Amino acid sequence: MKPELSTNLCGIKLDNPTVLASGIIGNTGELLKRVGDEGAGAVTTKSISLKPWEGHPSPNVVELKNGLLNAMGLPNPGAEEFIEEIKIAKEGDALVIVSVVESSIQGYADVISVLESAEPDMYELNASCPNVKGGQDISRSPELAGKLLEKACSVTNAPISFKISPDAGKLTDVARAVDEAGASAITAVNTLPAKAIDSKTNLPILSNTRGGLSGELLRPIALRCVSEISDAVEIPIIGTGGVSTGQHAAEMISAGARAVGIGTAVWHHGVGVFKKVSDELSSIMESRGFENVGAIEHGI
Ligand code: DHB
């Protein structure tokens, strides 16, 4: 019998545990729908703010040997403009998670209030962006993170995931604070603040001078964060960081994740990566006798 790949995220069934991570190609409804058609169990939009944000000028991406460094500066068209894109994304099979960013706690609530008419399946709060001023402040403070969740939960009944920074010194304190304040899930992790210097000029390559590191280089750090968080809280974790194969997904689930975010691998391998990861995960489960995704968590 084929292993069962479906998983339950905050009471919502995903056909398989793969989730398009925020920031990669989630900027139009059609693209999000396509990623769902290509096999993602859920898709996360780019982070949306209240008004349009322009983002940073290029160079804003650097390809490293085993990772990607980016400082896009969260360009997005603003909440009003994005409502239609969410509605289009929701026509697809995948669960639609809308990522939200703002520069104050009230701001996050304002964005959610505008987006409610599109009825997202879930929100993800990006309070851990390394590339805008103060972008990681909330994810580094259990008090602020708890306040953010309380405020966000007061304006929507949809489940909310908190995207946490791998750079948060008080990782488990922040995880407990958002859990207690009403988070339905934690997305672990966002990119890690990092820097690349041009070897000829000795100047920073990125216009923003620093950026967020993702891909292979991030995976061991993400696995460590997921395992620490899963020891601290009961709410499900969307384990994100450097996953590009079924084995990586199995490792993430075994570290404590319920679902698995995929971002940089889409940049390198295209949208076929979701089906590839699911198929490889299914083969691993079959060969090890795991009948469902939950069995991996306890048995690998
Ligand atoms: C950007 C935002 C993020 O949350 C991240 O992890 C990396 C980059 C950005 O748009 O600059």
Side-chain angles (χ1 to χ4, degrees):
M1 218 171 64
K2 277 256 173 240
E4 179 57 56
L5 278 187
S6 69
T7 187
N8 184 319
L9 196 62
C10 325
I12 309 167
K13 186 176 165 228
L14 267 64
D15 288 345
N16 69 73
T18 66
V19 179
L20 170 69
S22 179
I24 290 288
I25 51 173
N27 51 347
T28 74
E30 286 300 337
L31 265 173
L32 290 159
K33 207 159 80 171
R34 162 130 192 257
V35 174
D37 291 346
E38 293 282 346
V43 291
T44 315
T45 69
K46 272 193 84 84
S47 298
I48 304 299
S49 52
L50 194 57
K51 299 287 172 211
W53 283 8
E54 221 170 83
H56 300 314
S58 64
N60 44 28
V61 185
V62 186
E63 279 207 50
L64 305 172
K65 196 163 167 229
N66 290 311
L68 204 63
L69 190 56
N70 94 86
M72 306 300 290
L74 297 163
N76 79 89
E80 285 287 353
E81 192 67 29
F82 203 67
I83 289 173
E84 200 50 39
E85 304 302 331
I86 299 170
K87 288 184 179 165
I88 295 168
K90 281 200 66 181
E91 290 165 8
D93 292 334
L95 179 93
V96 178
I97 305 171
V98 176
S99 173
V100 173
V101 71
E102 256 304 328
S103 43
S104 69
I105 288 176
Q106 181 62 46
Y108 283 86
D110 293 342
V111 179
I112 292 172
S113 299
V114 173
L115 296 177
E116 278 291 274
S117 66
E119 298 181 13
D121 295 303
M122 188 189 286
Y123 291 100
E124 180 176 276
L125 305 182
N126 181 359
S128 46
C129 170
N131 301 328
V132 290
K133 195 164 173 288
Q136 292 188 296
D137 290 354
I138 295 177
S139 193
R140 285 186 172 135
S141 158
E143 291 77 21
L144 291 178
K147 282 194 180 135
L148 172 63
L149 257 296
E150 265 169 35
K151 186 79 201 173
C153 288
S154 74
V155 293
T156 182
N157 289 321
I160 300 178
S161 184
F162 181 82
K163 190 161 191 181
I164 207 160
S165 170
D167 198 32
K170 298 173 180 160
L171 189 73
T172 49
D173 290 346
V174 172
R176 278 192 209 98
V178 295
D179 178 18
E180 280 163 21
S184 297
I186 292 175
T187 306
V189 288
N190 210 321
T191 58
L192 183 67
K195 191 173 178 90
I197 300 283
D198 185 291
S199 61
K200 293 196 184 75
T201 63
N202 281 342
L203 294 170
I205 298 176
L206 294 167
S207 72
N208 186 52
T209 76
R210 289 183 288 268
L213 179 69
S214 60
E216 286 281 316
L217 286 166
L218 186 60
R219 199 172 60 254
I221 297 160
L223 283 169
R224 188 265 300 169
C225 293
V226 166
S227 72
E228 280 189 15
I229 294 166
S230 87
D231 285 347
V233 297
E234 297 289 322
I235 50 175
I237 301 166
I238 305 173
T240 307
V243 170
S244 65
T245 69
Q247 178 59 32
H248 298 159
E251 289 168 16
M252 205 54 104
I253 293 164
S254 138
R258 180 77 52 82
V260 181
I262 300 179
T264 303
V266 181
W267 169 284
H268 289 300
H269 307 293
V271 292
V273 72
F274 295 95
K275 184 165 183 323
K276 181 186 95 84
V277 169
S278 283
D279 288 350
E280 289 172 359
L281 181 63
S282 179
S283 302
I284 290 167
M285 288 166 68
E286 206 166 359
S287 68
R288 302 201 195 156
F290 296 134
E291 287 173 8
N292 53 53
V293 173
I296 306 176
E297 204 175 318
H298 309 290
I300 205 168

